[in-house]
Amino acid sequence: MAPRTRNTLSSTRREGASLNVRPPSPHPSGATPPPIPRDLVPRHVAIVMDGNGRWAKARGLPRTEGHKAGEASLFDVIEGALELGIPYLSAYAFSTENWKRSPDEVRFLMGFNRDVIRRRRDELNAMGVRVRWAGRPGRLWKSVIDELRAAEEMTVGNRTLTLQFCVNYGGRAEIADAAVKLAGDIAAGRVKPSKVDEKVFARYLDEPDIPEVDLFVRSSGEQRFSNFLLWQSAYAEMVFLDRLWPDFDRRDLWEACETYAKRDRRYGGAVPNKV
């Protein structure tokens, strides 16, 4: 992996913070956010937290130890997002495909996700973070759903950062579910087929009021979507970092945001060539 080089200039830039919101803890290294102009800070960052199993394997540990180590990485990244002023952060916690893993690992992940939400929701609430959940209830443990709903209810009034936990989530599943709901409304006469366009369809997604993804980040060096926020990431800038998730922290998030700030986003348009 490449050595870490970090710009330690800038200061905390968080909108919506009030006097009773606890600021994020500083990074142990003393690193501070890079001086990215406010209009170049991504509004919505989606993160695929990949590499827990490989991190554990390299240390002769079971895969579950990698998942445990990844918890600290997620919450350091959340604090880094708060420091930089990112309004929306989505974390891929458990996919619809993860049910294919061994029964023991699935049971661990169910209990681990439940316990992380329960253990951390007061801390998130204190920092003004609003928790949202995207995904299918379906096969999820009721205790996981209960904790997600409790965190949503507790933090509903927070405005510093919206954290979308994607649990039992799949991009294709979300689009298919939206199509079913839309078809139901068409059949009931509530929507005219001739009026259906991308904007109408997007209203049927899990969290339609969360903006589209600006920056899509994946750890571990793998370079694929893995069925995460497919609709929302249509014009996202992609940054793939060669660092396993348990080794990832807010400095890696800031590095990805610096890369994003240098990109020229044209959304299919182009400036005529000078001849």
Side-chain angles (χ1 to χ4, degrees):
M1 294 181 182
R4 294 174 181 267
T5 58
R6 299 287 186 264
N7 188 328
T8 57
L9 298 175
S10 187
S11 59
T12 299
R13 292 176 292 180
R14 296 179 298 116
E15 292 190 20
S18 59
L19 293 177
N20 61 347
V21 172
R22 177 177 75 76
S25 302
H27 191 268
S29 71
T32 55
I36 301 173
R38 186 178 298 276
D39 62 338
L40 296 180
V41 172
R43 190 177 181 205
H44 182 185
V45 178
I47 299 184
V48 178
M49 304 178 289
D50 192 26
N52 293 341
R54 277 169 283 166
W55 182 92
K57 183 178 181 180
R59 290 160 176 76
L61 300 171
R63 289 177 58 84
T64 53
E65 292 304 309
H67 297 311
K68 290 178 184 178
E71 177 185 346
S73 296
L74 173 59
F75 281 83
D76 194 76
V77 164
I78 291 168
E79 292 193 298
L82 288 165
E83 287 186 292
L84 191 57
I86 296 168
Y88 295 89
L89 184 70
S90 292
Y92 208 5
F94 190 90
S95 77
T96 49
E97 289 74 40
N98 287 157
W99 296 103
K100 299 174 185 176
R101 297 187 178 185
S102 72
D104 286 344
E105 185 172 359
V106 168
R107 279 193 295 271
F108 172 82
L109 288 170
M110 286 293 103
F112 183 64
N113 277 301
R114 175 196 62 206
D115 295 344
V116 165
I117 297 159
R118 179 191 298 154
R119 185 167 57 248
R120 296 283 193 161
R121 66 187 177 200
D122 288 342
E123 179 182 355
L124 292 170
N125 189 46
M127 292 189 293
V129 175
R130 182 180 182 184
V131 175
R132 305 283 287 273
W133 166 41
R136 284 177 165 174
R139 301 166 68 183
L140 272 183
W141 289 5
K142 182 179 182 299
S143 58
V144 177
I145 295 173
D146 289 345
E147 294 300 334
L148 286 164
R149 294 301 189 204
E152 284 186 315
E153 183 176 351
M154 171 185 285
T155 63
V156 68
N158 292 342
R159 296 291 180 268
T160 307
L161 168 73
T162 294
L163 173 64
Q164 181 175 220
F165 274 120
C166 297
V167 186
N168 198 28
Y169 174 88
R172 288 179 174 178
E174 180 183 27
I175 292 168
D177 291 345
V180 169
K181 289 183 285 187
L182 174 58
D185 279 352
I186 290 173
R190 289 188 288 269
V191 177
K192 293 181 178 180
S194 61
K195 299 296 184 182
V196 176
D197 57 14
E198 293 176 16
K199 186 175 181 180
V200 169
F201 187 87
R203 296 174 191 159
Y204 291 84
L205 297 172
D206 285 357
E207 298 291 345
D209 57 328
I210 291 180
E212 293 189 354
V213 176
D214 294 307
L215 172 60
F216 188 107
V217 180
R218 184 176 186 134
S219 62
S220 88
E222 301 291 347
Q223 299 185 21
R224 55 181 177 268
F225 278 102
S226 290
N227 199 21
F228 187 43
L229 297 174
L230 297 178
W231 179 280
Q232 298 87 340
S233 299
Y235 272 98
E237 295 296 323
M238 317 293 289
V239 175
F240 302 105
L241 297 176
D242 189 18
R243 198 180 303 285
L244 300 176
W245 181 250
D247 295 326
F248 204 98
D249 66 22
R250 71 186 75 181
R251 295 170 295 175
D252 298 292
L253 172 68
W254 295 340
E255 179 183 319
C257 290
E258 287 184 291
T259 300
Y260 167 86
K262 296 172 185 175
R263 300 270 178 90
D264 181 14
R265 306 186 77 201
R266 297 188 298 274
Y267 300 96
V271 177
N273 294 337
K274 292 182 179 179
V275 293

